[in-house]
Amino acid sequence: MGKPAPDVGVTCEICGKRETVKPGRAKSYRTCSINCRASLSSRTLTNKVSLICEVCGEEFYSKPSGAYRRKCCSMSCSKQYRKVKYAGENNPNYGNRGEKCAAWRGGRKVSNYGYVLIHMPKHPNVRPDGYVLEHRLVMAEHLGRPLKDDEIVHHKDENKQNNAIENLEIMTLPEHQRLHNRLRSELRQVTRDQLGRFIKKEA
């Protein structure tokens, strides 16, 4: 019997690792491991595009349809990229206030408490965010003067978004608190004696 053919040197197409294999395997050799084989299959079978992550510098693959907008290899790198890319003056909306802001909706919105807010940054009763409560704005215009801090505008029908002047009345903070306490007592059907002490609560 003749001597067996010597091993042949080959190179992995993915990681570049050099190794020697039998001549029979050398003809079909392409990768050195299962991981490299999976990477090769992903790249060749789906026709993905090779890209370099702009944060960590690692190579990754993307579908051709989305390759133009892919900048990072992972979610963590993407977060880091956006943190730097869109910080300060790099942000497309940097310095855009009011009508210049992309989120502008005409200067009218509803607060988390259900009150209507109007964007009027130069109004005397403006809040720190540049908005004025519409019911206070309507009352101020009706009186012809800005409202004082201790003046409360009450909605007669309890509808916070019904800001018609006929539905509004001005009162002090103590008066407003007493009014709402009385309304809550009526709602709970609470009975009190002449001294205001609780007697019973009807079902």
Side-chain angles (χ1 to χ4, degrees):
M1 295 180 61
K3 293 182 179 181
D7 291 346
V8 179
V10 291
T11 303
C12 177
E13 294 183 14
I14 299 299
C15 66
K17 179 182 178 180
R18 290 282 300 174
E19 61 180 340
T20 57
V21 298
K22 299 297 182 181
R25 189 186 168 205
K27 295 180 181 180
S28 60
Y29 180 92
R30 302 192 66 180
T31 58
C32 64
S33 65
I34 294 177
N35 290 336
C36 287
R37 188 183 309 161
S39 298
L40 180 65
S41 298
S42 176
R43 185 173 63 182
T44 56
L45 295 179
T46 61
N47 194 30
K48 289 187 177 181
V49 178
S50 174
L51 301 171
I52 301 297
C53 178
E54 295 191 11
V55 175
C56 67
E58 293 292 330
E59 183 182 25
F60 68 100
Y61 298 93
S62 172
K63 292 182 179 179
S65 59
Y68 72 96
R69 62 175 179 267
R70 288 290 303 276
K71 306 295 182 182
C72 304
C73 63
S74 64
M75 184 64 70
S76 59
C77 284
S78 180
K79 290 180 180 179
Q80 185 65 28
Y81 176 81
R82 291 197 300 270
K83 186 183 296 184
V84 175
K85 179 69 175 178
Y86 298 110
E89 295 183 2
N90 292 327
N91 193 313
N93 280 320
Y94 178 79
N96 290 345
R97 303 292 181 185
E99 297 179 2
K100 295 181 180 180
C101 180
W104 178 252
R105 296 295 182 269
R108 181 185 177 90
K109 65 180 183 178
V110 178
S111 72
N112 294 336
Y113 296 99
Y115 293 102
V116 178
L117 298 171
I118 306 296
H119 187 259
M120 296 187 68
K122 296 184 179 180
H123 194 275
N125 295 129
V126 68
R127 308 190 322 171
D129 60 357
Y131 283 83
V132 182
L133 290 160
E134 187 181 49
H135 60 284
R136 292 183 65 82
L137 177 64
V138 171
M139 182 58 70
E141 292 178 349
H142 176 71
L143 298 176
R145 62 169 177 81
L147 295 183
K148 300 176 182 178
D149 293 340
D150 60 350
E151 291 180 318
I152 306 299
V153 179
H154 171 68
H155 291 86
K156 297 177 182 179
D157 64 356
E158 299 297 316
N159 180 359
K160 297 177 181 179
Q161 297 184 27
N162 180 7
N163 294 320
I165 189 61
E166 297 80 11
N167 187 49
L168 305 177
E169 62 178 318
I170 192 169
M171 57 183 64
T172 64
L173 180 58
E175 291 173 341
H176 192 243
Q177 290 176 334
R178 284 195 296 270
L179 173 62
H180 278 279
N181 288 338
R182 178 174 58 80
L183 293 175
R184 279 194 292 267
S185 296
E186 293 175 356
L187 183 64
R188 295 173 182 172
Q189 297 181 336
V190 174
T191 303
R192 299 180 182 274
D193 60 17
Q194 294 180 348
L195 299 177
R197 293 175 299 192
F198 174 80
I199 297 178
K200 67 177 180 177
K201 181 178 180 180
E202 299 178 7

